[in-house]
Amino acid sequence: MAVRGMVETTEQAVWDQRYSGPDLVWGAGPNRFVTEEVAALPAGRAVDLGTGEGRNAIWLAERGWQVTAVDFSAAGLARAARLAAERAVSVDWVQADLLDYQPAPGRCDLVLIAYIHLPAASLARVFRAAAAAVAPGGTLLVVGHDRDNITRGHGGPQDPDRLYTPAAVTAELDGLAVRRAEQVMRPVRTPEGERTAIDTLVRAERPA
């Protein structure tokens, strides 16, 4: 696992603690929207920004993608590496802050951002860097909790400054053609029964 030198932040320490618990925080399987949007794409070079415990990166690697997976949590990446080893796939795990990390411009056939919730100004920087990394003919997929989830959905962050809207995401995707930008509904199982979360989903491509 490649590791970039970092000074631990409070937020990083919180995630390290969460990922050090006995159970997977997000589960072993990939996000449902990732599988729906990516399954038909031909495998190539992918970068998973904010990989967490690596569930999406591992799923991609199992399907032949060459994956770089980035997160600032050493505990999350360590767990991800163990899961990848158990499933006999190879992923390049990189510890880095997404505000510092720059994927190779124009080199990635897939750039994935799934549920990264930073302050709006920081998110905009990450979206711009992600868009710049998409290769000709490549795809950017962004999924995250929508701002309307606070009042009409279930779970997720409750700070509107850290939540997504389709318009806020697409505004930062210079040079990409937006193929899908909308709210999507996601069922969530709770002790009180099934609830619905509201997410933003944006899929964009760089013209070949």
Side-chain angles (χ1 to χ4, degrees):
M1 180 172 65
V3 178
R4 175 179 298 184
M6 294 176 58
V7 176
E8 186 174 83
T9 64
T10 300
E11 191 164 0
Q12 180 190 353
V14 168
W15 282 104
D16 278 341
Q17 183 175 18
R18 288 192 71 180
Y19 291 141
S20 296
D23 300 317
L24 289 168
V25 175
W26 310 118
N31 173 262
R32 59 177 294 172
F33 300 121
V34 173
T35 61
E36 290 171 6
E37 296 294 325
V38 174
L41 296 179
R45 186 193 302 263
V47 61
D48 179 13
L49 299 175
T51 192
E53 298 164 301
R55 59 179 182 149
N56 295 316
I58 293 169
W59 179 82
L60 288 168
E62 289 176 329
R63 279 145 188 81
W65 289 83
Q66 180 183 342
V67 187
T68 298
V70 185
D71 204 277
F72 67 175
S73 170
L77 291 174
R79 175 171 281 175
R82 290 193 297 271
L83 290 173
E86 290 170 4
R87 288 159 66 171
V89 295
S90 176
V91 175
D92 181 18
W93 306 107
V94 178
Q95 186 185 6
D97 190 314
L98 294 185
L99 297 181
D100 299 327
Y101 182 80
Q102 174 62 63
R107 296 289 303 279
C108 299
D109 302 299
L110 173 66
V111 181
L112 174 61
I113 297 175
Y115 302 94
I116 299 305
H117 290 281
L118 301 169
S122 297
L123 272 175
R125 286 175 54 189
V126 173
F127 293 151
R128 289 194 294 270
V134 179
T139 297
L140 170 67
L141 179 63
V142 178
V143 186
H145 299 286
D146 190 271
R147 197 169 295 168
D148 282 350
N149 194 60
I150 294 178
T151 56
R152 299 195 293 111
H154 174 82
Q158 298 298 295
D159 179 358
D161 188 56
R162 290 176 174 256
L163 300 180
Y164 295 14
T165 68
V169 177
T170 57
E172 308 300 337
L173 307 186
D174 186 47
L176 302 188
V178 176
R179 303 304 185 196
R180 186 180 181 188
E182 61 189 274
Q183 290 183 341
V184 289
M185 306 301 160
R186 175 170 46 86
V188 180
R189 292 180 181 176
T190 77
E192 294 76 33
E194 187 172 278
R195 299 290 185 266
T196 299
I198 303 172
D199 292 338
T200 287
L201 186 153
V202 173
R203 176 175 172 170
E205 300 170 356
R206 186 175 299 284

